[in-house]
Amino acid sequence: MWTRVSGMVLRYLYLYRRSLARAGEVFFWPIMDLMVWGFLTVYLQRHVVADAVLFLIGGMIFWDVLYRSQQAITLSLSEEIWIKNVINIFIAPISMFELLLSVCLMGVIKAGLATLVLGTMAALFYTFNIFTLGLALVPFLGILLLFGWAVGMITMALILRFGKAAEALVWGIPFLLQPLSAVFYPVDVLPAGFRHFAGAFPSTYVFEGMRHVLQTGNVDVSMMVKALVLNGVWLVIGSAFFGWMLGQVREKGFLSRLGME
Amino acid sequence: MYSLCGLPYYWWTHRAKGEGVSDAPIIDVRNLTKRFGDTTAVDHLSLSADKGEILGLLGPNGAGKTTTIQMMLGLTTPTEGDIRILGMDIKTQRRDILQRSNFSSAYISLPTNLTAWENLNVFGRLYGIKHSKQRIQELLDLFEIPHVINTVTGALSTGQLTRLNLCKAFLNDPDILFLDEPTASLDPDIAEKVRRTLANVQAEKNVTMIYTSHNMREVELVCDRVIFMAKGRIVTQGTPKDVLERAQSNSLEDVFISIARDGELKEPVSEEEDD
Ligand SMILES: Nc1ncnc2c1ncn2[C@@H]1O[C@H](COP(=O)(O)OP(=O)(O)OP(=O)(O)O)[C@@H](O)[C@H]1O
Ligand SMILES: [Mg+2]
């Protein structure tokens, strides 16, 4: 019996040895989880916040928008790769812009549906009415969707270039953003070094902005503008990275292999 | 990188198909080379194909057939050399070329969780086919699989799947069809049906085809002309009859084996070529 068990264990270990990303996964998730919960604990210990529960639910719903948007893009393309359809698509006369636009629209649809369901449920069960955020909802959702597109393009490019080995990374990258984007606690809870990173992500401004609105009832417009500008930068980075990786993939002849490995 | 301007493209795909390219070869490949690190997959290969010609690309595993086709489809960038298809350069007019060509292979697949009709409908849109419903029905009839129209693709047999892939490949009524081992893993009966259908369509539409296969009997039946490759280079080429005569052999299979083992064709010395 132990020979067979060790055989199977070996089979998985071989895989981890081959793929750094997979090995990293073993530590990555627990660490990210610990960071989110750790910072949240620090925050709650420092301040007794009456609105904390609202912040948490709001943070969770908005986080999902970013996550769905990114995943819709990445998953759409990785699915084409796993099912060996990617070549059919790449030899169809569709431009990369059109392809990206299609998957980004999928992101909007998925995130929209998720928000609708979560918003309704939160209103029914947890007396969190997302509409108390009023007009601020529009820039909030917009910024998260757009940032989701940018991150989605980057992760999609990694999948194209590195195939299955990048799979873990692709699931992981949004969760790398989670502790840094101050989803459940304000940015000042983060250590100074992390705060600089946090400021580079448009998502941070949405979560900060949400708490601001819930506390004061006012929208910090300058924050939203800053987030939109940052989004522009990230979208340029994302599409340039995608284009560059695609060039590499064509150079290395990976498209013909992607569907087959 | 990639073009953001869709308008010229729209104009191109919706204009009437011009026949201004009749004298030039449909496919014109010069000095095509592809190196992957230290491996030279394709080595200064030149070939051309005329309208309506079925050109077989043959050779042992790793000869560079697939790489050559991938470069002609713009999936892989050549290290060196030029590819002109329908008079257009693949570097600058890739999408215009793709609009008028298509590809099928036993090694790619359509989404398995969609029905045959859904799949063809999606690709109908990607190729901008008008009256796609009618076109899809015609193609399913042509390949003798009309009954699978509402079957989920994953539930099709290999033979049905191959024919569905071919339906997709014919959707846009291509001028050029690239087929990389289209009949691999088909039983002899279905393989014969597929060949017959391809021959019929070819006769009717005068499609230019680039065809790879490891089945030499099939190649003799299907191809007007063959190119034998080994290590990325052309070893011998001509009509199947020419190749057999030159090799003084009775079967392409023997020619194949001799090329595969020696990496070249040991041509018997003939007076014509010995000048
Ligand atoms: N993306 C790639 N990266 C590195 N090497 C590659 C790549 N694609 C092909 N090769 C190598 O290039 C050579 C030609 O491969 P290719 O797939 O074109 O051969 P083929 O003639 O289609 O063979 P087969 O009959 O097995 O399909 C082989 O040595 C192969 O290992
Ligand atoms: Mg091949």
Side-chain angles (χ1 to χ4, degrees):
Chain A
M1 180 183 113
W2 286 109
T3 339
R4 285 187 295 273
V5 170
S6 66
M8 284 311 286
V9 169
L10 206 57
R11 177 243 178 281
Y12 295 113
L13 285 182
Y14 280 147
L15 197 64
Y16 281 108
R17 198 182 56 185
R18 192 80 27 85
S19 154
L20 254 180
R22 262 183 226 269
E25 200 183 1
V26 175
F27 304 101
F28 179 80
W29 296 104
I31 291 177
M32 288 303 131
D33 273 346
L34 181 73
M35 276 168 71
V36 170
W37 293 105
F39 289 132
L40 180 62
T41 311
V42 171
Y43 170 52
L44 292 178
Q45 273 171 346
R46 272 192 216 158
H47 320 261
V48 183
V49 209
D51 296 329
V53 191
L54 285 189
F55 292 174
L56 290 185
I57 293 185
M60 189 258 138
I61 294 178
F62 281 121
W63 167 253
D64 201 67
V65 173
L66 174 60
Y67 186 61
R68 288 300 139 214
S69 170
Q70 181 263 351
Q71 291 286 295
I73 293 173
T74 312
L75 290 182
S76 308
L77 192 81
S78 18
E79 178 164 357
E80 305 302 359
I81 295 174
W82 308 155
I83 62 176
K84 304 182 187 176
N85 186 37
V86 67
I87 289 188
N88 281 323
I89 292 178
F90 275 84
I91 60 138
I94 183 170
S95 72
M96 279 312 110
F97 175 72
E98 289 161 345
L99 186 65
L100 285 176
L101 188 63
S102 328
V103 290
C104 287
L105 284 179
M106 277 314 294
V108 176
I109 296 173
K110 280 194 185 176
L113 286 176
T115 315
L116 208 66
V117 172
L118 291 184
T120 313
M121 284 179 66
L124 286 178
F125 303 131
Y126 308 109
T127 61
F128 175 82
N129 184 356
I130 197 172
F131 291 104
T132 52
L133 291 169
L135 272 182
L137 263 178
V138 178
F140 285 172
L141 293 178
I143 288 164
L144 291 173
L145 278 174
L146 288 177
F147 189 47
W149 290 7
V151 181
M153 280 185 221
I154 294 172
T155 46
M156 185 159 73
L158 289 171
I159 288 207
L160 262 183
R161 172 66 179 76
F162 298 104
K164 280 201 168 81
E167 199 178 3
L169 251 175
V170 164
W171 292 99
I173 280 183
F175 284 94
L176 190 66
L177 293 176
Q178 197 180 34
L180 292 174
S181 294
V183 179
F184 299 115
Y185 40 78
V187 177
D188 3 304
V189 177
L190 293 173
F194 283 19
R195 259 177 261 161
H196 292 299
F197 285 107
F201 305 129
S203 43
T204 311
Y205 300 92
V206 172
F207 295 108
E208 290 282 275
M210 173 200 71
R211 283 184 290 266
H212 190 73
V213 175
L214 286 178
Q215 263 172 338
T216 65
N218 299 322
V219 186
D220 188 337
V221 177
S222 72
M223 246 186 188
M224 294 303 104
V225 172
K226 214 167 160 184
L228 275 173
V229 172
L230 273 176
N231 249 338
V233 174
W234 277 102
L235 280 170
V236 170
I237 294 177
S239 48
F241 185 71
F242 184 80
W244 178 54
M245 281 290 155
L246 193 63
Q248 293 254 308
V249 164
R250 289 212 159 103
E251 192 64 45
K252 295 183 188 292
F254 284 158
L255 277 176
S256 56
R257 314 235 123 181
L258 273 175
M260 301 173 192
E261 65 188 18
Chain B
M1 228 177 306
Y2 45 87
S3 131
L4 295 181
C5 43
L7 273 180
Y9 170 65
Y10 184 86
W11 165 78
W12 174 265
T13 52
H14 288 76
R15 89 208 196 293
K17 268 189 193 175
E19 296 298 331
V21 283
S22 48
D23 343 335
I26 298 282
I27 295 177
D28 189 8
V29 169
R30 303 250 167 98
N31 269 322
L32 189 63
T33 302
K34 181 67 194 180
R35 278 186 284 273
F36 296 111
D38 294 338
T39 341
T40 304
V42 177
D43 193 0
H44 296 92
L45 179 94
S46 296
L47 62 83
S48 65
D50 293 327
K51 183 149 183 60
E53 196 174 22
I54 302 187
L55 178 62
L57 272 188
L58 314 178
N61 293 133
K65 307 176 296 288
T66 299
T67 307
T68 304
I69 289 187
Q70 306 285 0
M71 285 192 280
M72 293 199 256
L73 289 165
L75 290 171
T76 301
T77 6
T79 311
E80 270 173 54
D82 292 305
I83 300 175
R84 294 187 76 80
I85 293 177
L86 295 159
M88 296 179 277
D89 191 329
I90 190 91
K91 285 196 224 86
T92 50
Q93 289 183 280
R94 198 176 100 87
R95 284 172 66 206
D96 300 330
I97 295 172
L98 291 180
Q99 179 65 43
R100 294 171 63 186
S101 48
N102 216 317
F103 169 71
S104 184
S105 158
Y107 301 111
I108 61 176
S109 174
L110 291 163
T112 45
N113 40 11
L114 270 58
T115 66
W117 194 85
E118 289 166 344
N119 267 323
L120 294 177
N121 192 32
V122 167
F123 281 97
R125 280 174 187 249
L126 292 188
Y127 284 94
I129 312 297
K130 292 189 193 117
H131 313 296
S132 62
K133 201 165 179 181
Q134 190 188 333
R135 176 97 189 118
I136 290 168
Q137 197 66 58
E138 279 168 16
L139 283 168
L140 289 170
D141 288 341
L142 183 68
F143 283 96
E144 301 176 32
I145 46 168
H147 51 284
V148 306
I149 187 160
N150 291 318
T151 309
V152 172
T153 305
L156 299 179
S157 71
T158 318
Q160 291 168 334
L161 188 63
T162 304
R163 285 178 283 168
L164 183 63
N165 280 334
L166 286 169
C167 289
K168 179 244 132 188
F170 277 103
L171 261 179
N172 60 332
D173 206 350
D175 293 316
I176 305 159
L177 195 54
F178 297 93
L179 298 170
D180 197 1
E181 303 189 35
T183 54
S185 73
L186 293 186
D187 75 41
D189 169 45
I190 306 283
E192 196 275 334
K193 267 190 192 163
V194 166
R195 277 198 300 273
R196 189 157 32 84
T197 315
L198 284 177
N200 289 343
V201 181
Q202 203 278 335
E204 193 185 322
K205 306 270 185 183
N206 221 12
V207 189
T208 306
M209 293 188 198
I210 305 285
Y211 198 102
T212 81
S213 170
H214 287 303
N215 180 339
M216 291 304 119
R217 219 181 63 81
E218 170 174 299
V219 166
E220 276 189 75
L221 285 170
V222 173
C223 297
D224 300 317
R225 192 155 62 87
V226 296
I227 291 183
F228 265 103
M229 294 175 67
K231 300 187 184 120
R233 293 194 202 162
I234 296 180
V235 179
T236 182
Q237 59 176 318
T239 62
K241 209 166 140 247
D242 284 348
V243 170
L244 289 178
E245 262 172 31
R246 212 173 310 143
Q248 295 190 348
S249 169
N250 296 322
S251 77
L252 281 182
E253 191 126 349
D254 291 342
V255 178
F256 186 104
I257 290 170
S258 129
I259 288 172
R261 303 219 168 128
D262 306 332
E264 61 182 297
L265 188 63
K266 300 235 164 63
E267 292 192 16
V269 192
S270 78
E271 285 130 56
E272 280 173 38
E273 276 160 54
D274 198 33
D275 49 17

